[in-house]
Amino acid sequence: LHPLRAGRPASYMRYVWGENRLDNEACVDPDGVVLVEGVYVARPELVDLFDLVVLVRTDPLVRRARVESRGENPICWLDRWERAEDWYFAHAFPYDQVWCVANGHTGSQDL
């Protein structure tokens, strides 16, 4: 993220969820808007590196059904992931840094 903030290209290792491994390196140019997706991207030690943080809220049952439908992970892994996300949102997510909350089920947003 630091190279992008400085206007330089950056790279990261792609994660392959279904295989639980890192894949090839991906390069990102700092042209225009750079979108970084992922629930843990906004963790407190990184949130200051972003100009805008959008939180997408989805009903837990809808969220779980979507993850299960992808068939990428066993149920025991999904249970662990769900508990970790619940903890993160209750104890670590920087709500004071969020600019917009979007409804992940309907697409509506609250500013």
Side-chain angles (χ1 to χ4, degrees):
L1 296 174
H2 289 288
L4 291 173
R5 296 282 304 171
R8 296 188 316 270
S11 63
Y12 68 97
M13 300 298 291
R14 292 183 180 163
Y15 185 72
V16 182
W17 284 99
E19 300 174 18
N20 192 28
R21 66 176 178 82
L22 293 175
D23 198 15
N24 298 328
E25 184 177 56
C27 294
V28 180
D29 289 323
D31 297 331
V33 174
V34 176
L35 178 68
V36 181
E37 181 274 334
V39 77
Y40 300 112
V41 168
R43 55 187 209 247
E45 64 270 28
L46 297 177
V47 74
D48 289 337
L49 296 172
F50 300 106
D51 293 324
L52 174 70
V53 175
V54 175
L55 173 62
V56 179
R57 281 275 193 201
T58 305
D59 177 273
L61 295 176
V62 172
R63 181 180 73 179
R64 178 67 181 237
R66 288 176 179 169
V67 173
E68 285 183 9
S69 73
R70 292 195 293 256
E72 296 174 337
N73 303 97
I75 296 297
C76 63
W77 185 94
L78 295 177
D79 292 341
R80 182 176 168 216
W81 162 79
E82 201 166 55
R83 287 190 306 273
E85 266 202 5
D86 289 345
W87 184 93
Y88 174 70
F89 281 116
H91 301 285
F93 187 82
Y95 289 98
D96 61 331
Q97 300 289 328
V98 173
W99 181 81
C100 175
V101 178
N103 183 320
H105 186 65
T106 66
S108 64
Q109 62 184 352
D110 298 321
L111 299 178

